[in-house]
Amino acid sequence: MTADDLQEPRTRRTDVEYIRRLVDDELALALGAVGAVLIEGPKAVGKTSTALQHARTVVRLDDDDDPLVIDALESDPGRLLKGESPVLLDEWQSVASIWNRVRREVDARGGRPGQFILTGSATPDDDTRRHSGAGRFWVLQMRTLSLFESGHSSGEVSLADLFEGKVPDGFDARWSEPTARAEIAERIVVGGWPANHGLDVEAARRNNVQYLNAIREYDLRRGDGSRRDPDVAARVVRSIARNIAVPATQATLARDTVPGSGDAGVDATSRDALRDHLAALARLRIVEDQPAWRPALRSSHRLRQTPKRHFVDPCLAAAALGAAPGRLVSDPMTLGLWFESLAVRDVRVYCQAAGAQVLYYRDDKELEVDIVVEMPDGRWGAFEVKLGSTTRAVDTAAKNLVLLRDRVGADRCAFLGVITGGARAFRRADGIDVVPLRMLGP
């Protein structure tokens, strides 16, 4: 195989219009700064499509039918790194040793930036990155499409602007208040997978069910060589779906997973199986924890540390429990929790480039705040998430936010806000911002 062979992409871009992602700007920045960039994320999130917008040479390492790749792997794997830069090494974990080859090649080329892009849907269990990539690699996390990226949020209220103190102001007439919950339920069920963009709700819902089935039947059994029971995997996934956006302990999930266990608890084997499945789902980027915030408290309140657990996209919760939009609308409690998870997903996408953390707060007095965004410089902002936008709902949320500020201290607090399912953005007299999720953007 020659360099000329590799310069011809294995799979050309299709005529389907590419949906520009916020991570595109991060990738461009990274390629100008370091020799190699690793894009991680769940399958079908669009990693390869995004990488193709920037790559000049494409090598698909999971293509068992490509004789050029097979020959190189058997005779001289170093040839896979040849070609016009950046070279895309798609699904790099299929040939885990490629990590160290890339690392050495970046060094051999004098550390020139923009040499390689690696994409991967799972982190191998063995320590393939035991040799440091510091100074050679940037790692970018890729998630499903946010509402802003898919065109379902106007983005006129910028998260960055909130951190600078700008007053939110606006009304999005595209979403009508009387049908807001039905529209939100549809967005949750459809989800942010690029393949679902433009599909009708039922087709997208079935896609998500098929996606989960593939994870359960194939990916959970293949990734690390373990033979996991698909039925156990299905129960674990359903348990997570029932406990989205709440700080459920593993003991709670285990009791929910094992039929009939109730207050009697579960045996050690079942607890171990749950931990194993949670670790595998995290490795596949299907499940992502929302850690608890640990600020320097001025009060004596003790903080709870159990993380909240989310799917990478709440559409997977809907798929796991077979929930269509109509069923969600008739179950406002579940819809509210999954709306919170949708907000967490979007805020994670919007603040990633700034290197911010998305956390939550809960103390021993049961004060809980849904989202805390902490910037690297120590500034922080907090959101309560309310499906409704009534004065009563917003007042309740605002009270929690003020209590948080009183307990933590206002020195580094940039903003306090309520994310709603409404259509009007404004700042209240008490300084609390009200921001519809359908208007929030980066």
Side-chain angles (χ1 to χ4, degrees), residues 176-227:
S176 61
E177 286 284 355
T179 61
R181 292 197 176 192
E183 293 166 341
I184 289 167
E186 285 190 1
R187 285 302 98 213
I188 290 172
V189 170
V190 169
W193 304 106
N196 286 353
H197 188 66
L199 293 182
D200 64 53
V201 176
E202 180 59 16
R205 188 190 71 80
R206 294 192 181 198
N207 267 356
N208 298 335
V209 171
Q210 292 296 323
Y211 184 96
L212 267 188
N213 286 343
I215 294 294
R216 177 171 64 102
E217 296 283 352
Y218 179 62
D219 293 281
L220 279 176
R221 304 178 73 181
R222 183 197 66 169
D224 57 5
S226 299
R227 295 189 60 81

Side-chain angles (χ1 to χ4, degrees), residues 38-40 92-93 96-100 103 118 122-134 137-141 283 285:
L38 170 61
I39 306 175
E40 292 186 328
W92 76 273
Q93 77 279 358
S97 62
I98 206 72
W99 176 273
N100 285 328
R103 180 183 62 85
L118 285 70
T123 302
D125 280 350
D126 60 325
D127 191 10
T128 55
R129 288 185 281 181
R130 59 189 177 276
H131 296 291
S132 173
F137 284 86
W138 276 15
V139 180
L140 301 183
Q141 180 70 22
R283 180 179 56 79
R285 312 290 174 177

Side-chain angles (χ1 to χ4, degrees), residues 405-419:
R405 184 174 59 195
D406 290 346
R407 291 183 186 180
V408 174
D411 295 347
R412 305 295 289 169
C413 179
F415 71 87
L416 299 173
V418 184
I419 293 176

Side-chain angles (χ1 to χ4, degrees), residues 249-264:
T249 64
Q250 288 195 7
T252 298
L253 293 176
R255 285 194 299 272
D256 192 38
T257 299
V258 179
S261 59
D263 294 333

